Amino acid sequence: MNKSIKNTIFAGLIVLTLYLIASIFQLPIWSDIFASICSLLAAVVIFYLIFTSDAPNFNPNFVLIGLSVLSWAAADILWAIYEIVLHQDPNSVPIISYLYFGTNIFLLLSTILFCFYKFQKWDIIQLLVDSIFITVVVIWLLWILLFDKQYN
């Protein structure tokens, strides 16, 4: 690991510690600032590792995960700007909601892409057995929790 990534990780740990302290002492302004910095540093580390990796195969899943973290960081930064600088309610700003929602979209796309590539390698019989078993267990659990009078 080179010196710049070690310095970034060290800075991230310091900012994370400051964020935890601000959260414990319930300092919302500092919590917003440090949360934004933590998110941005996480995105920087992810993209740095993606583009400097010596792996022979490029995996687009990591880019989608990096985009999800970057989307969250952008939303956090805008949230802090609207709340601290502009003194407006960030909940009323649609772009912030879209950026937070973008995190879920990128993670969903990454999951779909992962499943698409992995399901091609799986044995179809094993996939069917696993799917049926998980479905039966989930239905059984829901039945017990919602409809069985013995547990109510």
Side-chain angles (χ1 to χ4, degrees):
M1 198 180 310
N2 65 19
K3 191 171 183 173
S4 64
I5 194 70
K6 285 182 183 178
N7 290 339
T8 305
I9 291 173
F10 182 70
L13 290 174
I14 289 173
V15 173
L16 180 63
T17 304
L18 291 172
Y19 169 70
L20 292 174
I21 291 170
S23 296
I24 289 171
F25 290 110
Q26 298 177 352
L27 304 169
I29 292 175
W30 290 107
S31 294
D32 289 344
I33 292 170
F34 291 134
S36 301
I37 295 171
C38 284
S39 301
L40 195 57
L41 284 175
V44 166
V45 168
I46 289 171
F47 280 113
Y48 178 81
L49 292 175
I50 288 170
F51 293 118
T52 60
S53 174
D54 294 333
N57 296 331
F58 179 75
N59 192 343
N61 282 339
F62 295 126
V63 174
L64 290 170
I65 291 171
L67 287 173
S68 73
V69 174
L70 189 61
S71 177
W72 187 273
D76 264 357
I77 290 169
L78 283 176
W79 184 283
I81 289 171
Y82 272 89
E83 188 174 47
I84 297 167
V85 177
L86 302 176
H87 301 290
Q88 293 181 5
D89 182 21
N91 288 321
S92 64
V93 181
I95 188 69
I96 295 175
S97 298
Y98 296 148
L99 286 170
Y100 279 128
F101 186 67
T103 299
N104 297 328
I105 295 296
F106 288 127
L107 289 175
L108 176 67
L109 290 174
S110 175
T111 303
I112 290 170
L113 192 63
F114 174 79
C115 290
F116 178 74
Y117 286 121
K118 290 298 179 183
F119 284 169
Q120 289 177 349
K121 297 178 183 179
W122 284 2
D123 183 27
I124 192 69
I125 301 298
Q126 182 69 39
L127 181 62
L128 285 172
V129 169
D130 288 345
S131 299
I132 291 169
F133 180 74
I134 290 172
T135 303
V136 167
V137 168
V138 168
I139 290 172
W140 181 49
L141 180 66
L142 287 173
W143 180 266
I144 288 174
L145 293 176
L146 299 176
F147 301 116
D148 195 2
K149 294 189 187 322
Q150 177 182 350
Y151 295 104
N152 289 334

